[in-house]
Amino acid sequence: MAFLHPVTQLSLSHLPPGTVSMLGGNHSAVSEFVLIGFSTFPHLQLMFFLLFLLMYLFTLLGNLLIMATIWSERSLHTPMYLYLCALSISEILYTFAIIPRMLADLLSTHPTIAFVACASQMFFSFTFGFTHSFLLTVMGYDRYVAICHPLHYNVLMSPQGCACLVAWSWAGGSIMGMVVTMAIFNLTFCGPNEIHHFACHVPPLLKLACGDDVPAVAKGIGLVCITALLGCCLLILLSYAFIVATILKIPSAEGRHKAFSTCVSHLTVVIVHYGFASVIYLKPKSPQSLEGDTLMGITYTVLTPFLSPIIFSLRNKELKNAMNKTFLSKLSPEKL
């Protein structure tokens, strides 16, 4: 197929040097892979294309709207909304790494992806995916400081401190992406090249690899990814345990409601994000149909990013009011 998604057209120089060297030393007989994730839905591919295209455009527009609102409304120039803006950027880049390619493959009769393009897709999807998880953890810490230590908030969440937390989140995501990609594409792929997924995902690629080191690599990647995800999840749970304990000490019901309302949108996104992630990464090992793998992958790749801007826009009253003030009011005629 002549069409290549911009991310997959990246040259080797765009990958981290370590990844390039590892790929260069690989002696795999496979030069490309065939993505057969949607092959079991031949009569539904056009419907899937239209549905996922609409969801992808909505995801882009929703996150861009959130970013534009935060940028234009000075009252939102606070650490909490800085983190939300960074979260929207990571979500846009994560979906950009996977969905445009997936949409092109839905219109193709023989969806293939080059070896290096597959490595690029895996690196960027893991980088932005884990950055998203780390930023959600940082946002939980921000709510913990704001509610449990309000007098120290301006010191702990100074502009320099916020910038460092965001930078460390992106650095951590990049390290995770590099580690996973180098581990997978340092393996040898001896012949079978059909990936039972719509993207370059770790489990189906491990099934195509050959060599005595495959089981050790699989265990290592699983341990690293699950440790990172569970670590983030436990830190968020710990933050909210202290938050709930502090809120319960507030004497007035109005005060408790006001304090908890600042956490609702973040907590909802966390539940959705880690709920779908746990289904994919923590499911028991068992024979799984291609249809089941594809549908579970769609929930995390398409549905979760689609729901995130909706949740933040509707459940965050301050952001919702700012959107109405900044954009929606301009759509209605001015009252004379």
Side-chain angles (χ1 to χ4, degrees):
M1 184 175 177
F3 175 85
L4 283 178
H5 173 258
V7 169
T8 65
Q9 286 180 333
L10 293 171
S11 65
L12 283 172
S13 61
H14 286 72
L15 285 172
T19 307
V20 175
S21 63
M22 297 299 279
L23 292 176
N26 189 285
H27 301 288
S28 294
V30 175
S31 61
E32 67 176 17
F33 296 101
V34 181
L35 301 168
I36 62 172
F38 291 106
S39 62
T40 54
F41 306 102
H43 303 296
L44 298 175
Q45 290 192 19
L46 181 59
M47 185 192 74
F48 281 158
F49 172 82
L50 295 174
L51 176 62
F52 297 156
L53 176 62
L54 290 174
M55 293 177 72
Y56 176 58
L57 292 176
F58 187 91
T59 300
L60 287 180
L61 291 174
N63 282 297
L64 289 173
L65 182 61
I66 288 174
M67 292 166 58
T69 302
I70 294 172
W71 179 267
S72 61
E73 187 63 37
R74 293 190 62 85
S75 64
L76 300 183
H77 292 180
T78 62
M80 180 173 71
Y81 292 104
L82 168 66
Y83 298 138
L84 179 56
C85 194
L87 192 75
S88 293
I89 294 173
S90 71
E91 203 155 68
I92 288 174
L93 294 174
Y94 172 76
T95 54
F96 183 69
I98 299 176
I99 297 181
R101 173 91 208 188
M102 182 185 73
L103 293 173
D105 289 341
L106 280 168
L107 299 179
S108 172
T109 56
H110 188 63
T112 60
I113 184 169
F115 188 89
V116 174
C118 188
S120 298
Q121 186 185 68
M122 177 174 289
F123 170 74
F124 289 112
S125 63
F126 269 83
T127 293
F128 302 135
F130 274 99
T131 297
H132 192 272
S133 295
F134 296 149
L135 286 171
L136 284 175
T137 306
V138 169
M139 292 175 75
Y141 174 67
D142 171 77
R143 292 297 83 208
Y144 159 75
V145 175
I147 294 174
C148 300
H149 302 284
L151 298 179
H152 299 94
Y153 185 79
N154 290 333
V155 175
L156 295 174
M157 290 296 165
S158 64
Q160 296 82 1
C162 294
C164 285
L165 288 172
V166 171
W168 277 112
S169 296
W170 283 95
S174 300
I175 291 171
M176 290 296 298
M178 191 185 305
V179 167
V180 173
T181 304
M182 288 171 60
I184 290 294
F185 287 91
N186 190 43
L187 297 172
T188 301
F189 298 89
C190 303
N193 68 336
E194 289 188 343
I195 297 178
H196 287 223
H197 207 272
F198 54 81
C200 291
H201 196 44
V202 170
L205 276 169
L206 285 172
K207 292 179 181 178
L208 301 181
C210 53
D212 297 333
D213 54 345
V214 174
V217 170
K219 290 179 181 178
I221 291 176
L223 181 63
V224 169
C225 292
I226 291 175
T227 299
L229 287 174
L230 285 181
C232 290
C233 188
L234 289 175
L235 287 174
I236 293 172
L237 289 176
L238 188 62
S239 296
Y240 275 101
F242 285 112
I243 288 172
V244 170
T246 301
I247 289 177
L248 292 178
K249 296 177 183 178
I250 299 176
S252 67
E254 183 181 355
R256 291 193 296 270
H257 179 267
K258 184 178 179 180
F260 189 71
S261 64
T262 63
C263 307
V264 172
S265 58
H266 173 255
L267 187 58
T268 306
V269 169
V270 166
I271 292 171
V272 171
H273 177 81
Y274 284 101
F276 286 132
S278 64
V279 169
I280 294 174
Y281 291 104
L282 301 179
K283 66 178 181 177
K285 292 183 178 180
S286 61
Q288 184 72 29
S289 66
L290 179 57
E291 296 93 332
D293 284 338
T294 299
L295 293 175
M296 279 198 297
I298 288 170
T299 60
Y300 193 73
T301 305
V302 182
L303 184 59
T304 302
F306 172 76
L307 292 175
S308 184
I310 297 176
I311 294 169
F312 278 115
S313 300
L314 296 180
R315 301 296 296 176
N316 188 306
K317 186 177 180 181
E318 193 174 11
L319 180 62
K320 184 179 178 181
N321 291 338
M323 284 183 173
N324 291 332
K325 175 184 174 182
T326 306
F327 296 104
L328 299 183
S329 61
K330 296 180 181 178
L331 299 177
S332 59
E334 295 183 3
K335 296 181 179 180
L336 300 177

